[in-house]
Amino acid sequence: MTQTPEDPDVAASVRRVRRGCIMIAIIVIAMTIFLISATGNLAFSLLLFIAAALFALAFFVVREGA
């Protein structure tokens, strides 16, 4: 198995994980809005808890210096 040519940069990896969590949270919010408007079922608003958890993961769990 060969080693990747780039150095393992922890700060860049943390930024990538944070950006991924934020983008997935935005997608979940967009899907929630679409599902609520398409069906009228407010039970889909529970998906906002998943989006909030992803935002919390991005900003509180994934720390730059940790």
Side-chain angles (χ1 to χ4, degrees):
M1 189 165 126
T2 61
Q3 199 70 315
T4 57
E6 62 226 12
D7 291 331
D9 187 12
V10 176
S13 179
V14 167
R15 282 192 301 271
R16 271 196 303 272
V17 169
R18 184 175 291 156
R19 186 172 49 232
C21 287
I22 291 171
M23 294 304 288
I24 294 298
I26 290 170
I27 290 171
V28 168
I29 290 170
M31 285 176 29
T32 302
I33 291 170
F34 171 73
L35 288 171
I36 290 173
S37 65
T39 63
N41 190 353
L42 291 178
F44 287 117
S45 63
L46 294 174
L47 289 172
L48 293 176
F49 287 118
I50 295 173
L54 285 169
F55 276 123
L57 180 72
F59 289 110
F60 298 117
V61 176
V62 181
R63 298 230 180 246
E64 186 98 17

